[in-house]
């Protein structure tokens, strides 16, 4: 499989630096070692210079492959298409004849391609012998042997070129991941449109293009795009602690984070958020002054907030803005006095600012143009009013607002619930959450069963019984019964459940309308680890100590041969629980299982959600195999603990 035209597609690299970018989410690393992408080796045809270049390239690529920005790019490219920095476009994904998950659902295909992009296989990079920019052969999706590719003269031409932004490493990383998709069975039909369109099954369809619609291009271009975008937004991508790469916090975001190399470490992600309670010391008149190292002096911080009831009602249309006089961010009520003893959840460093203009605003509606949301009905939007953000001036808008998806323009919008005109030159801070982290964000619809007068009760394993849960709610007209709720609202924990309640003018608000809907985005810190679980192991240390309050997700892929007698099993095993002598008799034979020193063995399979442990315990993984070392292959598992 060759890659003609790929160079031209991504050569336009934007280079630049945004002053005052707020750095958030510094991860911690642990010393235990496991592999993502297995071992990397180089052909005898690679000079030391090329080996060094490719080693750096693959390290960048690994950090991208585990990043949120990459997941979002791939998901949006597959579902609706996505634009890249410096021009270029990938998607929508349209499967090519013969692909490994041909004809299956979007969710299945998205999960499968993310698994392939994070394969634990060893990889051999040869520096010569390739066609186009590089080439390889078409492989099988579930292979566990060494993957390989051959670069062409392209590598000679670029490896010692001066770095421009993240190029040429960004393009080289895109090439590696493009070829890996071929090694996992994904094709683009041929290396020219005339033959590819027929081979992939789209003869006569002028809207299909092999460099736009197929998985190898889509995925490789997302790897390149995240690196190019990070260099453009964050400056030097090497300006993190050793071994970490500075990447955008989400696709198209204005903020950056340091991402640990997943080959060697637990990747930690921390939400930069805090609870602010109004006191006599920080509050006067309509204003309460926030204080946080990522806010103080940072006029360009990305700020979102949510009113949390702690004894005092609000309902005065609060907004957040930066006070240049004091160098502090404030939350200000638009229609009343800021009460003492009320609380706000404040999040920093996630999302983008939308400003209303005559071009994007008409009547009571303003239309959002965001690469991750355009054309994608399924995203979760969190919106906070920040009237002066990204501007030296701005208009107030003292009205309850919500979001809705306009199927005519295929764009998300923000609208005033009471139909009042949306002012020109006001601002909203918007965070877009895509499907991959579903469960941490979802739509809540008000029903007779969950409503009590002016309140509606939420239900989620991340919220129920958790007094310290942090979340945002944003009214979404599209999700429920197309119902308006002209009241403002707050959130409240009653000791058991979280509620959204209407409030107005310092007291309770009107009845919560049945059919009204809210996008809920739950903020969790997260530690994440990829481990390879070979047939021969009696326990692979994940490096993660699970705690009593964690919510844990394990996702696994890969194949192994458990013994000389046949049967290649995925992490779900054979589906038969044979009992003795298997280590966990109640679990499927040869499936992936977990191991805790205090709580014992537990079944995992391909996907498992579970609550934390009875005490803090280190998690290790193994196969449910009673005779170890007489087979081959391995499972690959992604472990995530949300806390
Ligand atoms: Zn290709």
């Amino acid at each position: 499989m060759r890659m003609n035209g790929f160079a031209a597609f991504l050569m336009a690299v934007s280079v630049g630096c945004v002053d005052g970018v707020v750095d958030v989410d510094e991860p911690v690393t642990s010393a235990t070692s496991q592999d993502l992408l297995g071992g990397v080796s180089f052909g005898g045809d690679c000079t030391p210079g090329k080996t060094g270049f490719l080693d750096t390239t693959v390290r960048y690529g690994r950090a991208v492959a585990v990043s949120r920005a990459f997941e979002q790019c791939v998901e949006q490219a597959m579902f609706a298409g996505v634009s890249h920095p410096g021009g270029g476009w990938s998607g929508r994904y349209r499967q090519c004849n013969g692909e490994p998950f041909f004809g299956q659902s979007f969710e299945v295909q998205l999960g499968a391609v993310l698994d392939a992009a994070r394969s634990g296989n060893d990889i051999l990079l040869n520096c010569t012998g390739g066609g186009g920019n590089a080439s390889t052969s078409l492989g099988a999706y579930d292979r566990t042997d060494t993957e390989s590719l051959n670069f062409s003269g392209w590598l000679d031409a670029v490896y010692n070129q001066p770095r421009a932004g993240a190029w040429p490493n960004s393009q080289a990383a895109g090439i590696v991941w493009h070829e890996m998709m071929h090694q996992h069975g994904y094709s683009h039909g041929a290396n020219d449109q005339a033959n590819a369109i027929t081979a992939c099954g789209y003869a006569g369809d002028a809207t299909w293009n092999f460099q736009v619609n197929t998985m190898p291009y889509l995925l490789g271009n997302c790897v390149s795009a995240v690196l190019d975008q990070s260099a453009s937004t964050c400056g030097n991508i090497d300006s993190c602690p050793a071994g970490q790469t500075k990447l955008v916090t989400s696709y198209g975001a204005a903020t950056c984070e340091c991402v640990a190399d997943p080959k060697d470490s637990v990747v930690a992600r921390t939400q930069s958020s805090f609870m602010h309670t109004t006191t006599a010391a920080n509050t006067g008149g309509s204003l309460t002054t926030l204080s946080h190292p990522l806010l103080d002096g940072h006029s360009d911080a990305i700020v979102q907030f949510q009113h949390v009831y702690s004894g005092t009602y609000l309902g005065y249309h609060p907004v957040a803005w930066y006070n240049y006089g004091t160098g502090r961010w404030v939350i200000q009520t638009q229609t009343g006095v800021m009460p003492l003893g009320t609380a706000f959840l404040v999040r920093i460093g996630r999302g983008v600012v939308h400003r209303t203009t005559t071009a994007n605003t008409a009547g009571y509606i303003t239309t959002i143009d965001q690469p991750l949301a355009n054309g994608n009905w399924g995203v979760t939007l969190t919106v906070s009013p920040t009237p002066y953000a990204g501007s030296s001036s701005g208009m107030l808008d003292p009205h309850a607002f919500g979001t809705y998806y306009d199927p005519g323009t295929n764009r998300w919008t923000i609208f005033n619930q009471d139909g009042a005109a949306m002012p020109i030159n006001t601002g909203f801070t918007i965070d877009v959450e895509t499907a991959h982290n579903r469960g941490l964000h979802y739509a809540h619809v008000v029903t007779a069963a969950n409503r009590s007068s002016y309140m509606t009760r939420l239900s989620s394993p991340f919220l129920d019984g958790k007094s310290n849960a942090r979340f945002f709610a944003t009214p979404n007209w599209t999700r429920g019964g197309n119902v308006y709720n002209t009241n403002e609202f707050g959130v409240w924990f009653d000791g058991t459940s979280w509620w959204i309640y209407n409030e107005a003018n310092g007291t309770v608000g009107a009845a919560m309308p049945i059919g009204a809907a809210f996008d809920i985005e739950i903020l969790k810190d997260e530690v994440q680890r990829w481990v390879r679980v070979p047939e021969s192991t009696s326990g692979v240390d994940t490096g993660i100590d699970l705690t009593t309050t964690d919510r844990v997700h394990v996702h696994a892929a890969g194949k192994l041969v458990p013994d000389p007698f046949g049967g290649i099993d995925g992490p779900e095993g054979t589906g038969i629980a044979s009992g003795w002598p298997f280590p966990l008799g109640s679990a499927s034979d040869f499936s992936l299982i977990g191991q805790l020193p205090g709580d014992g063995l537990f079944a995992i399979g391909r996907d498992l959600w579970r609550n934390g442990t009875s005490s803090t315990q280190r998690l290790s993984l193994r196969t449910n195999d009673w005779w170890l070392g007489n087979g081959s292959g391995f499972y690959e598992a992604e472990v995530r603990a949300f806390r």
Side-chain angles (χ1 to χ4, degrees):
M1 294 295 113
R2 296 184 176 184
M3 301 181 59
N4 300 324
F6 189 64
F9 199 71
L10 276 170
M11 280 298 281
V13 176
S14 56
V15 185
C17 177
V18 177
D19 288 329
V21 167
V22 178
D23 293 326
V24 296
D25 301 351
E26 299 287 333
V28 291
T29 59
S30 83
T32 51
S33 178
Q34 286 294 331
D35 288 344
L36 173 74
L37 301 184
V40 182
S41 61
F42 303 93
D45 56 350
C46 293
T47 61
K50 290 176 191 171
T51 297
F53 171 79
L54 291 175
D55 201 49
T56 302
T57 292
V58 176
R59 176 167 59 79
Y60 291 154
R62 283 195 297 266
V64 169
V66 307
S67 72
R68 186 167 176 273
F70 173 70
E71 287 175 2
Q72 291 179 318
C73 179
V74 172
E75 180 179 321
Q76 177 70 356
M78 286 179 68
F79 185 78
V82 71
S83 55
H84 296 314
W89 177 269
S90 292
R92 169 176 65 88
Y93 168 56
R94 297 172 67 188
Q95 57 193 351
C96 188
N97 279 335
E99 285 189 351
F101 294 88
F102 191 92
Q104 298 201 36
S105 72
F106 172 80
E107 296 278 341
V108 167
Q109 295 187 338
L110 173 63
V113 74
L114 288 174
D115 284 344
R118 296 159 173 173
S119 167
N121 293 351
D122 294 335
I123 186 165
L124 168 63
L125 302 175
N126 297 300
C127 289
T128 59
N133 294 339
S135 56
T136 188
S137 57
L138 204 58
Y141 179 83
D142 278 327
R143 64 186 300 165
T144 54
D145 58 334
T146 300
E147 300 177 34
S148 68
L149 65 87
N150 291 69
F151 277 98
S152 69
W154 176 86
L155 182 62
D156 280 313
V158 306
Y159 82 93
N160 58 0
Q161 293 285 311
R163 180 87 72 83
W167 188 90
N169 298 88
S170 57
Q171 189 180 359
I175 290 169
V176 170
W177 263 258
H178 173 116
E179 300 301 336
M180 279 173 51
M181 288 300 104
H182 289 321
Q183 290 271 280
H184 283 265
Y186 291 93
S187 167
H188 41 71
N191 298 312
D192 63 276
Q193 174 71 358
N195 292 305
I197 196 168
T198 303
C200 280
Y202 296 94
D205 182 350
T207 66
W208 186 90
N209 184 287
F210 78 113
Q211 291 175 312
V212 175
N213 300 108
T214 64
M215 193 62 89
Y217 279 102
L218 186 158
L219 192 115
N221 286 354
C222 276
V223 170
S224 299
V226 170
L227 285 168
D228 290 336
Q229 193 177 86
S230 298
S232 173
T233 301
C234 317
N236 181 4
I237 62 172
D238 291 321
S239 59
C240 287
Q244 301 183 20
T245 305
K246 187 170 274 189
L247 299 175
V248 285
T249 50
S250 61
Y251 196 76
T255 50
C256 302
E257 63 186 339
C258 292
V259 178
D261 186 345
K263 186 177 172 63
D264 301 315
S265 30
V266 172
V267 177
R269 297 192 173 87
T270 310
Q271 294 266 1
S272 295
S273 68
F274 65 99
M275 289 296 282
H276 173 85
T277 300
T278 58
T279 65
N282 62 30
T283 303
S286 61
L287 290 176
T288 186
T289 300
L290 308 177
S291 182
H292 188 279
L294 294 173
L295 291 181
D296 302 346
H298 292 287
S299 61
D300 58 351
I302 300 290
V303 177
Q304 296 194 297
F305 65 95
Q306 167 72 57
H307 179 222
V308 180
Y309 181 85
S310 61
T312 314
Y313 292 101
L314 205 59
Y316 296 130
H317 302 284
V319 297
W321 56 281
Y322 182 76
N323 185 333
Y324 280 88
T326 61
R328 297 293 185 87
W329 278 83
V330 300
I331 296 177
Q332 179 173 20
T333 52
Q334 295 183 69
T335 56
V337 172
M338 179 68 77
L340 301 186
T342 202
F344 295 93
L345 169 67
V346 179
R347 175 171 62 179
I348 310 162
R350 183 157 287 179
V352 294
V353 172
H354 169 82
R355 295 208 63 81
T356 61
T357 66
T358 53
N360 65 27
T361 304
Y364 63 105
I365 299 169
T366 182
T367 299
I368 301 165
D369 181 10
Q370 221 284 342
L372 278 182
N374 295 344
N376 196 342
W377 185 89
V379 298
T380 293
L381 297 175
T382 294
V383 180
S384 290
T386 49
Y388 316 130
S391 176
S392 57
S393 64
M395 299 292 290
L396 294 171
D397 179 40
H399 301 275
F401 60 86
T403 63
Y404 99 100
Y405 186 77
D406 182 345
T409 60
N410 287 316
R411 291 285 187 274
W412 280 95
T413 70
I414 303 170
F415 68 95
N416 279 335
Q417 299 270 5
D418 59 3
M422 178 68 70
I424 305 300
N425 193 28
T426 192
F428 296 94
T429 298
I430 302 167
D431 177 60
V432 180
E433 294 292 319
T434 43
H436 189 63
N437 263 345
R438 200 165 278 155
L440 287 173
H441 54 87
Y442 67 96
H444 172 82
V445 180
V446 180
T447 66
N450 63 35
R451 181 180 79 159
S452 175
S453 182
Y454 60 97
M455 309 194 299
T456 181
R457 185 200 300 262
L458 303 178
S459 177
S460 158
F462 288 101
L463 298 177
D464 299 343
K466 298 182 189 305
S467 62
N468 61 351
R470 298 170 288 164
F471 67 98
F472 288 96
T474 301
N476 187 320
W477 192 84
T478 299
R479 296 272 179 257
N482 302 152
V483 171
Y484 293 96
N485 179 23
T486 57
N487 266 224
E488 289 185 84
F489 60 90
V491 300
W492 170 58
F493 186 69
D494 70 359
T496 305
S497 299
W498 281 93
W499 299 73
I500 300 173
Y501 70 93
N502 278 339
E503 58 185 350
N505 301 315
T507 185
V508 301
M512 185 64 75
I514 302 285
F518 296 86
D519 277 346
I520 307 296
E521 183 192 354
I522 300 164
L523 280 53
K524 301 295 286 183
D525 296 339
E526 174 185 348
V527 292
Q528 188 175 34
R529 188 65 189 271
W530 283 265
V531 290
R532 189 198 270 204
V533 185
E535 185 271 343
S536 57
T537 187
S538 61
V540 176
D541 183 1
T542 65
I544 296 179
D545 294 312
L546 298 182
T547 71
T548 56
T549 54
D550 282 347
R551 199 62 196 140
V552 183
H553 183 228
V554 184
H555 171 72
K559 290 278 185 185
L560 60 77
V561 182
D563 53 42
F565 312 113
I568 299 176
D569 297 291
E572 63 276 10
T574 61
I576 300 163
S578 297
W580 187 89
F582 288 84
L584 183 58
S586 59
S588 172
D589 297 351
F590 308 118
S591 63
L592 181 69
I593 59 176
Q595 192 163 255
L596 294 160
D599 294 351
L601 301 172
F602 62 96
I604 294 176
R606 195 169 281 271
D607 264 293
L608 174 77
W609 279 103
R610 60 162 285 162
N611 286 324
T613 42
S614 64
S615 61
T616 298
Q617 293 169 47
R618 174 65 62 91
L619 173 65
S620 60
L621 302 178
R622 60 170 293 166
T623 59
N624 194 25
D625 186 349
W626 63 278
W627 185 350
L628 300 170
N630 65 340
S632 61
F634 53 85
Y635 297 141
E636 305 151 8
E638 177 195 24
V639 180
R640 298 202 289 178
F642 298 95
R643 42 188 59 161

